[in-house]
Amino acid sequence: MAAPRLRSSLRGALCRQLLLTLVVFSFACEACKKEIFNIPSKLEADKMIGRVNLKECLGSVDRIQSSDPDFRVLEDGSVYTAHAVVLSDEKRSFTIRLSDTKKRTQKEILVLLEYQKKVLRKRHTKETVLRRSKRRWAPIPCSMQENSLGPFPLFLQQVQSDAAQNYTIFYSISGRGVDKEPLNLFFIERDTGNLYCTQPVDREEYDVFDLIAYASTADGYSADFPLPLPIRVEDENDNHPIFTEAVYNFEVPESSRVGTTVGVVCATDRDEPDTMHTRLKYSILEQTPRSPGLFSVHPSTGVITTVSHYLDREVADKYSLIMKVQDMDGQFFGLMSTATCIITVKDSNDNLPTFRQNAYEASVEENTVNVEILRIPVEDKDLINTANWRANFTILKGNENGHFKITTDKATNEGVLSVVKPLDYEESHQVVLEIGVANEAPFTRDVALRMTTMNRAVVTVHVKDQDEGPECSPEVQYIRIKENSAVGSKISGYKAYDPETKSSSGLRYKILHDPKEWITVNEGSGSLETYKTLDREVITPKNDLYNITVLAIDQDGRSCTGTLAVSIEDVNDNPPEILQDYLVICKGNMDYVDISAIDHDSSINGAPFYFSLANTSPEINRLWTITRVNDTAARLAYQKNAQFQEYFIPVAVKDRAGLSATKTLRVNLCDCTNPVQCRAAARSADVILGKWAILAILLGIALLFSILLTLVCGIVSARNKKAFPDDLAQQNLIISNTEAPGDDKVCSANGFMTQTVNNANQGFCGTMGSGVKNGGQESIEMVKGGQQTLESCRGAGHHHTLDSCRGGTIEVENSRYTYSEWQNFTQPRLGEKLHLCNQDEEHMPSQDYVLTYNYEGRGSPAGSVGCCSEKQEEDGLDFLNNLEAKFAALAETCTKR
């Protein structure tokens, strides 16, 4: 079967052109070994089809190019498809160009692409697949004009397959514009393969249509592979360039240099890029105000710059530009549009503030301060209330003594001249000031003008005379007085004067403040006289001046105050003083001890000091030595044969002027390792009672005698009274029941407690039994006596009583009462008192007075509250059997009848 062929004159022309190109290329480059790759007829994108040996062709390669854009070559020689490729011919070739720019060498590798031949036979009815020997149809470049005027349908091209020579072929297409949006834009005649467009196309919406053409037989079998058929839309200049903003706002400082960038305008065009349709050109159509022309725009970039240095905000503070942009590189037939550009001129300090006149006059009374004497207005053309307009005033000349100050009134921009330091008419009748003014912001004009950036004016201030009081000048005056001067010594004093007459006559003086009251002043002359002896060492600090405040008064009562600084000259009236009194030396660890001295006099009467042993005994001279350490210290050392004891060593110290003093040091030569040990022992051995300790001891003795006197009086009253008192509850001691029966304590013949063997209620002084059970009934015995006391004690785990009055032959029968007698007497009275206490003011029962406490029971965590409930306390009473002689005498006093 004859191989199919594509009949197209256009394809022949392209082949001839390619052949011519290959011929020319063969002369320019040296060819390398040819590479052949067997590939399928349809390839996907980014698929490797083979690899070539680049180094074999050219050793050093720094540039690799492929003549076919459908294929790309990597640095290692791998060949990949750039996108999906369908081979329309049996063979396809392209060239790989290798370049070495350093050696200026180029070589080429020819790559042939082949796929296996297939034999195309006439189709029989039994054949299920149509076969052909090779593929001969290929896409023909096709394009259409944007916004075409027709007529429609518009013929684009004819698609024809070589298979039509042997079969009846039917053509069809698919893709965007056919079966995808926009639908039905293209169609193809089924029999002829003629491709048509049905309506105009906008390139800005669709720039290319990728159609797929199909060739099939009548029974539906594909006679050829699908053919990619791209249709490109040729651009037409149908879109105006548009500025990105309708109104641009820029700012530029006035007095800017020529070429200063103001801003950038920008426009866009939807037509095809990199064509004349999108090549834009900018220009300025109009400027308002019109003259002079101050701005220009770059035709390609849209950058607006200044072209004149006459940009002055005071002339025009805002400019409006009509900007034009036109495509087709600004040719007259190009499309255009406009925008507005507003340029605001920012203020710069290009105008100096100026005074309205060159000279001013003002007046002020002398001795006046903090008063405003003059306001100086200025004029400035710059923008109000900005740093370019606000003025700064300066006093250039005439204010060397600091009498004046000038400030700026922020509201009016005026200079306010004030007096801040009193003027003296006697010194100067008038003052001439030179005032300068400038802005807060620096001046921005040319260098030649900057030499005169400050405007000047002259202000003459006239000083008015006043009748003044005395003047204390200088305010501080200095005198010198020797220390220890005789009382009544005359010294020149403070001098003030009248500024009108320059004389001190008629002035009176008084001392306002004298810290030590050492000086008096003569009221008429102002001379001083010592009232007390001056002591330099009293002043703190000692080297400071002794300041006396003096008041000078004239005849009209006006006054001034001055200071008299007295420098007291030192006299050697203080000998050196040794700082140490008591010293400890640990023999064996310490070979010496250092002593130091101070002198309260000045340095000329002070150190260096000279230390020596003064009027010492031969033993001290033999055992102790003293040597110099420095100007204020000496070293006291002992001999090895010195004994452990405390030494009294007199040491003399003399200053450089010869004044000396002697001090006896207590030096403890101790057997210790640390001096602290001996100091602690010395403190414990030298305890001396102070006056407060002695007073406390005397008060304790007096208190003891008062207690003894009270006991004696009680004994006497007990012997004289036998009847019941009116209130037994307050004059008798009740022996309460004990928790368990116990042994009694009785008084022995010598007045001390002894314990009886049995529970019999007998004793020498009578038994104070506190609860002896007889037949199951407790009997409580009461001791009569208004001043007697009964003390409870414990013994052998039981409750006992101790007789408070150790008598010899007191009758027991008359001093005891039975429990029944005590109960009959106290029960009615106690019941009546409890009843009354249990009522409030309205005689109603109240629970706030008498409360009932329940028995806690055994094992209470609080323990017993009894004063004699612990056995440890019983054991603690053994000291009563071993009392000293003083307490034995007390016991004898109690037992006397």
Side-chain angles (χ1 to χ4, degrees), residues 206-228:
Y206 305 103
D207 58 346
V208 66
F209 294 92
D210 293 319
L211 304 180
I212 304 297
Y214 304 94
S216 59
T217 61
D219 53 1
Y221 291 97
S222 295
D224 216 328
F225 289 101
L227 174 67

Side-chain angles (χ1 to χ4, degrees), residues 69-114:
D70 292 340
F71 301 95
R72 56 189 178 91
V73 184
L74 303 183
E75 294 181 356
D76 61 350
S78 300
V79 181
Y80 284 84
T81 57
H83 46 78
V85 176
V86 177
L87 298 181
S88 59
D89 294 332
E90 182 179 317
K91 293 183 179 182
R92 184 173 178 177
S93 64
F94 65 92
T95 305
I96 300 175
R97 178 177 295 174
L98 307 178
S99 302
D100 186 353
T101 57
K102 294 181 180 180
K103 298 181 180 180
R104 298 183 179 180
T105 305
Q106 290 185 351
K107 289 190 178 183
E108 291 182 349
I109 301 176
L110 179 63
V111 178
L112 297 178
L113 304 179
E114 294 183 353

